[in-house]
Amino acid sequence: MRVLALACLPLLAGGTSTALFAQDAATGNAQGDVAVTIYNNGQSLVQDDRQLSVAAGRNRIEFPDVSARIRPETVTLSGPGIGIVEQNFDFDLLTPDKLMDKAVGQSITLVRTNPTTGAERTERAKVLAANGGIVLQIGERIEVLRDDGLPVRAVFDRLPPNLRARPTLSVTVDAANAGTVPARLSYLTPNLGWTADYVALFDAAKGAMDIQGWVTLTNSTGTTFSNARTLLVAGSPGGGGGFRQMSGAMDSAGTESNDRERLGDYYLYPLAQRTTIANAQQKQVSFLDVKGAPARSTYEYVNRWLGSNNEPVSTASVLRFSTSRQGGLGDQLPAGAIRVYMRDTRGDPQFIGENRIDHTPMGSAMSLRTGDAFDVKVQPTVVSRTRKGDSRWVTKMKYIVSNARPSPVTVLLAQDGLYGDVRISDESLKGERISADRVEWQVPVPANGKVDLTVAFDSRY
């Protein structure tokens, strides 16, 4: 194990920049007025306004406290009378291990403390290797610096070049005139993103739900963005997206709009107040709070073509609601997870399920599948398959729908896979053809009762 008790005594770094950066004396942060635009795909745009002191002609300017995950190819620096000549990003950060790695082949000072007397003894040592342990040459002997708990400090003469205490971007510019120049540094960075999460409290008796939306900001860029103006963009611009899997259904897409600001095909959610987005931190901010929106609990079962079960299977518990202005949530919903709660007989909210939704326009009809129903079951069975002529078949299906609840329910029963020219030749309950390959029946089931639905399909296969 490498010795981590490294003391950087007089660490002398050669400064080559001819322009200084403004630094907050209280926080030690060199950022200026920061604005951060955060997208759903984990990518963000950082715009950092700083005051630069420049001399006429060529200047090398250092920008500490940029994202450690900065995409250098996206950097732009704009300001009156300055033009970029060259830029470098130094991301090799100062750590005890890195400091020892850079010292291989050089001499350092070891300070050993007698644990009994407290007396210190110093000696010069040459670092021979730092691979899984520190190998030193002290005079004529070779010694391995062990992590045995004895008080030993390593003192370095200087800070190695290109080893930074924090991520630093250096830019060489040509300045037309000497003086203080307002400049904006802009760049893209991954590892700074946001997600939407929703908490819904459903009241089945009232047929309503309260729902609150939370924005969760996650920062793993290696840098803290202090007192930043923060703008969230709901949407997934190309270039940084990944695989998404959503399973909350949008039964019909909405066509309503409101006065929420847009950016092209995306919606903007600015945070009302400036906020500090600390590195290695999650921060939550509320953006939606709706009380008493209409909602209802239903049951749903979808059967595949020729699907048959030897025993009853659970239907899905489904929460249905709308995002419309009238009779709904009245807003666009960024993609995220909705967690649903209900109050028990003691009045305490209890978790009953969750699911994810995609970006949802205002005015959409939603069906959120929250889990499997305990008491409401369906058993689909292929009763018979009869050949009809040379190229057609008649398939008789039976769906047994049971309800062990003390109140009646209605089950949306769907048969999928009706490709080609599949026709229904007989049915005990009138269904609705939803699409070329799907038929749905609204099956009412009495309390503690059972219903048989029989259907005959005429098909070519």
Side-chain angles (χ1 to χ4, degrees):
M1 179 178 178
R2 295 188 179 183
V3 176
L4 299 183
L6 303 178
C8 303
L9 290 186
L11 291 178
L12 305 177
T16 59
S17 93
T18 58
L20 301 178
F21 53 84
Q23 178 164 315
D24 188 322
T27 65
N29 193 309
Q31 295 168 358
D33 185 6
V34 177
V36 181
T37 303
I38 309 177
Y39 300 87
N40 281 134
N41 58 7
Q43 180 168 254
S44 296
L45 169 66
V46 178
Q47 301 181 79
D48 187 351
D49 293 340
R50 305 193 189 191
Q51 299 293 320
L52 307 180
S53 297
V54 297
R58 185 160 294 192
N59 298 256
R60 182 171 181 267
I61 305 173
E62 293 189 348
F63 293 90
D65 296 312
V66 297
S67 166
R69 300 298 305 275
I70 188 174
R71 294 172 57 189
E73 72 277 10
T74 67
V75 169
T76 61
L77 178 65
S78 59
I82 61 174
I84 296 181
V85 177
E86 178 184 280
Q87 65 184 36
N88 300 283
F89 177 54
D90 297 327
F91 55 85
D92 206 4
L93 297 184
L94 177 64
T95 65
D97 287 348
K98 287 282 184 67
L99 195 56
M100 188 62 80
D101 286 340
K102 298 290 186 180
V104 172
Q106 302 176 9
S107 294
I108 63 173
T109 300
L110 291 182
V111 181
R112 303 181 190 269
T113 303
N114 187 310
T116 303
T117 65
E120 291 187 344
R121 178 171 59 90
T122 64
E123 55 186 345
R124 295 291 286 178
K126 183 178 181 179
V127 182
L128 298 181
N131 303 314
I134 312 302
V135 181
L136 304 171
Q137 181 177 355
I138 304 174
E140 297 299 323
R141 72 182 190 273
I142 305 298
E143 181 175 325
V144 175
L145 192 60
R146 297 179 303 172
D147 185 17
D148 53 9
L150 294 178
V152 179
R153 302 198 317 274
V155 181
F156 297 83
D157 299 333
R158 64 187 60 83
L159 185 67
N162 298 326
L163 195 60
R164 304 286 185 172
R166 44 192 170 168
T168 300
L169 177 75
S170 62
V171 180
T172 301
V173 302
D174 268 332
N177 300 293
T180 301
V181 178
R184 170 169 290 183
L185 178 70
S186 302
Y187 59 88
L188 294 176
T189 180
N191 292 73
L192 177 60
W194 73 281
T195 57
D197 291 276
Y198 305 88
V199 177
L201 181 60
F202 175 59
D203 188 327
K206 294 181 179 179
M209 71 174 180
D210 300 339
I211 186 166
Q212 187 166 23
W214 291 93
V215 165
T216 301
L217 306 176
T218 304
N219 181 7
S220 56
T221 63
T223 303
T224 294
F225 299 95
S226 300
N227 197 32
R229 289 179 288 116
T230 304
L231 180 66
L232 310 179
V233 179
S236 300
F243 175 75
R244 293 177 302 146
Q245 181 177 2
M246 303 291 177
S247 48
M250 192 186 310
D251 295 333
S252 64
T255 57
E256 300 177 19
S257 59
N258 56 12
D259 58 358
R260 183 173 294 283
E261 184 182 356
R262 295 172 181 266
L263 180 66
D265 288 322
Y266 314 118
Y267 281 102
L268 304 184
Y269 293 79
L271 300 191
Q273 305 292 331
R274 288 177 176 263
T275 188
T276 294
I277 311 171
N279 180 51
Q281 179 190 69
Q282 285 191 338
K283 177 187 290 287
Q284 286 193 310
V285 180
S286 176
F287 76 96
L288 178 72
D289 192 0
V290 177
K291 305 293 186 184
R296 59 191 178 91
S297 177
T298 62
Y299 301 94
E300 183 178 292
Y301 182 82
V302 180
N303 194 47
R304 68 187 188 280
W305 176 243
L306 300 182
S308 186
N309 285 86
N310 295 326
E311 58 186 30
V313 293
S314 293
T315 62
S317 297
V318 180
L319 182 64
R320 297 183 181 274
F321 60 96
S322 169
T323 64
S324 67
R325 180 181 291 103
Q326 299 296 327
L329 303 181
D331 207 347
Q332 299 82 7
L333 301 184
I338 300 182
R339 295 168 179 86
V340 183
Y341 295 77
M342 288 184 68
R343 296 190 187 278
D344 58 22
T345 55
R346 293 168 295 279
D348 299 325
Q350 303 292 348
F351 176 71
I352 62 168
E354 68 177 285
N355 213 325
R356 291 187 60 81
I357 61 171
D358 204 343
H359 298 304
T360 303
M362 191 167 75
S364 300
M366 304 295 294
S367 56
L368 190 75
R369 292 160 183 80
T370 57
D372 294 334
F374 193 99
D375 287 327
V376 183
K377 307 281 187 179
V378 174
Q379 183 178 2
T381 306
V382 177
V383 177
S384 64
R385 292 257 300 162
T386 306
R387 197 174 191 91
K388 179 184 178 183
D390 293 336
S391 60
R392 300 197 69 84
W393 292 80
V394 173
T395 303
K396 291 186 178 180
M397 295 286 302
K398 177 187 283 188
Y399 310 87
I400 303 174
V401 187
S402 59
N403 173 27
R405 296 175 61 85
S407 57
V409 300
T410 297
V411 176
L412 187 152
L413 176 62
Q415 177 61 63
D416 267 354
L418 308 183
Y419 300 104
D421 64 344
V422 179
R423 299 187 296 269
I424 295 177
S425 57
D426 188 33
E427 55 187 341
S428 60
L429 177 68
K430 181 64 177 176
E432 180 182 0
R433 193 82 180 224
I434 300 301
S435 63
D437 66 335
R438 180 173 173 132
V439 175
E440 293 181 354
W441 295 269
Q442 297 285 345
V443 183
V445 189
N448 304 112
K450 187 178 296 187
V451 170
D452 292 353
L453 170 65
T454 57
V455 183
F457 298 97
D458 187 327
S459 67
R460 287 189 296 177
Y461 53 93

